[in-house]
Amino acid sequence: MKLYMSDLYRVELHYPLDEVQLDTLYYLYQPLMGTQALSLYMMLYTEGKRMKRFLKPSSLSRLLSFVSVNLMDLEKSIKVLEAMGLLKTFVKSENEMTRYIFILQSPLSLKAFFKNQILLSLLEQSLTNEDFQNTLSYFQTTLHDLSTYEDITAKFTDVFTIQHHKLHKPLKIKQDLFSKQIQDISVSYDIEFLRQCLIEYQIPKSLFEKDLTFISQLGLAYSIDGMTLASLVRESMTSQQLDKQLLKTKIKNYCEIDSLSSFQEVYHKQPLQYQSDSHQKTPLSLHMQHLDKITPFELLQEKQGGKEPTYHDLQIAETLMMQLGLQPAVVNVILEYVLGKNNGRLSKRYCEAIGGSMVRNKVQTAMDAYNELMKIRENKQDVEIKHEIEDIKEEDQLNPEEVEALLKELREEMI
């Protein structure tokens, strides 16, 4: 679809949005598609309520002036709305004139959205874990326990009586009533291949057919091929039915293990030219030599009691090495320091703040990293740490109170 300023358009709206649907758009859809696409949807929604008053279609130049975007951004937003199932677009070209009809679709119901594993997975990836849980809680209804109460609600027939003998002719109702038009997102997962794989794993169709949409949505959301997905489904069958929660857990575990193989830098040891002096035998020198000889992966494994490091911790170590360019032993010093000062937890912002200081001071060895940390503990680089956290604030959207709280935490733990 190539749009031009002179193209004409009309908007059709079949059902007004209620308060819950508006909340759904802002809290559930907006994190997935962005504010620009949502702004376009709301503008088209407003136009849809008024378009019947226009004698002829409007030009796209008019729409652009209201949403304050260019044609390229408009095309992108339209595609996003279509992909999210919120818009259907029809086009007709005749007499060198192109006309579009935009038919707005209502957002999915809360139940349908939360059952859609693709949308739910994308929402979970778009938000922090705390924000994701808060969003789920926002839409939960809190009801009193009514088990000890008696339902005394009146029925229709308890109040109203229809006297049929007074009806002279059958009641007629117009058919052009308002009705919601909902379109689920369109996906391209090879369901037939998945079905065949499930059959080859000797899973009866009667046990998986009703859950096929759910299974394929998970496969698409986590980019898992049909054969692997069928194997995970077989492992999740209990009592002759699919345990959906178990399947999601197995898929997440599979993806986490698969992601570990994508790490590269965390398996590297300190280069020889940056290793500590092996002639010194003080406890500190011996410990720095130990950090030279192990990889960040092995250090985290030690701290885990020999168990596999978590994906979260490895990702932090990989970031310090890939994005900041820190040497393996320097990363080991940072990881060990943060774990010791942060009750065994690795904070991404904490590690990056210290790592940024190491980069600025061109730290290459474990001993230099240790000395740099001693300077930080003496608050000689407090201003630099604060600037580092403020830079991270812009990326992670921390508010000023969170920045000050994090800075205070850093200062207290470094004393």
Side-chain angles (χ1 to χ4, degrees), residues 140-373:
Q140 290 176 347
T141 56
T142 304
L143 300 175
H144 291 288
D145 183 7
L146 302 179
S147 59
T148 59
Y149 289 76
E150 178 185 358
D151 186 356
I152 59 171
T153 307
K155 296 180 175 59
F156 178 84
T157 53
D158 294 336
V159 181
F160 296 96
T161 301
I162 299 179
Q163 299 180 7
H164 294 280
H165 64 278
K166 293 185 177 181
L167 298 177
H168 301 292
K169 56 183 179 180
L171 296 176
K172 292 184 178 180
I173 301 176
K174 292 183 178 181
Q175 298 301 312
D176 56 344
L177 300 175
F178 280 128
S179 61
K180 293 182 182 179
Q181 288 203 352
I182 299 176
Q183 177 184 345
D184 208 342
I185 61 173
S186 177
V187 299
S188 56
Y189 194 84
D190 194 340
I191 294 182
E192 284 303 318
F193 176 69
L194 172 61
R195 181 184 283 111
Q196 187 60 39
C197 291
L198 290 168
I199 293 175
E200 290 180 3
Y201 275 115
Q202 299 182 342
I203 304 175
K205 290 184 64 175
S206 59
L207 298 183
F208 70 76
E209 195 67 35
K210 65 180 184 299
D211 297 318
L212 202 55
T213 299
F214 172 84
I215 297 171
S216 61
Q217 286 177 353
L218 284 174
L220 184 64
Y222 290 92
S223 301
I224 301 178
D225 64 274
M227 185 67 74
T228 303
L229 184 58
S231 175
L232 295 172
V233 169
R234 182 182 62 177
E235 296 174 8
S236 304
M237 301 299 295
T238 59
S239 302
Q240 297 301 303
Q241 65 178 359
L242 175 64
D243 187 330
K244 294 183 178 180
Q245 190 57 47
L246 179 59
L247 176 60
K248 292 179 69 173
T249 300
K250 286 186 174 294
I251 287 177
K252 288 183 178 181
N253 290 339
Y254 169 81
C255 290
E256 184 169 308
I257 293 173
D258 187 57
S259 298
L260 293 179
S261 62
S262 65
F263 292 121
Q264 298 178 3
E265 299 299 319
V266 294
Y267 302 105
H268 290 173
K269 295 181 181 179
Q270 182 79 343
L272 290 174
Q273 65 269 32
Y274 297 124
Q275 290 189 7
S276 304
D277 185 1
S278 60
H279 298 294
Q280 297 186 26
K281 301 300 180 182
T282 65
L284 178 59
S285 298
L286 291 175
H287 185 65
M288 294 301 108
Q289 292 170 32
H290 172 68
L291 295 182
D292 284 338
K293 296 176 182 178
I294 63 173
T295 66
F297 178 91
E298 291 170 332
L299 174 72
L300 292 171
Q301 194 173 41
E302 283 184 2
K303 301 301 182 181
Q304 292 281 108
K307 297 180 181 178
E308 189 86 3
T310 65
Y311 177 78
H312 170 267
D313 291 352
L314 288 173
Q315 191 175 42
I316 292 175
E318 185 84 2
T319 299
L320 293 175
M321 300 178 73
M322 289 288 292
Q323 295 186 8
L324 298 183
L326 294 174
Q327 297 294 342
V330 175
V331 172
N332 285 342
V333 173
I334 295 175
L335 296 177
E336 194 170 59
Y337 179 81
V338 173
L339 287 170
K341 291 291 183 180
N342 210 28
N343 297 320
R345 291 186 300 108
L346 275 187
S347 167
K348 183 175 184 290
R349 290 191 287 268
Y350 197 165
C351 291
E352 289 181 346
I354 298 175
S357 177
M358 300 286 184
V359 172
R360 286 189 293 272
N361 289 282
K362 298 180 174 57
V363 174
Q364 302 280 5
T365 69
M367 186 60 74
D368 287 344
Y370 173 81
N371 292 331
E372 184 68 21
L373 286 174

Side-chain angles (χ1 to χ4, degrees), residues 82 356 390:
E82 291 171 348
E390 288 175 343

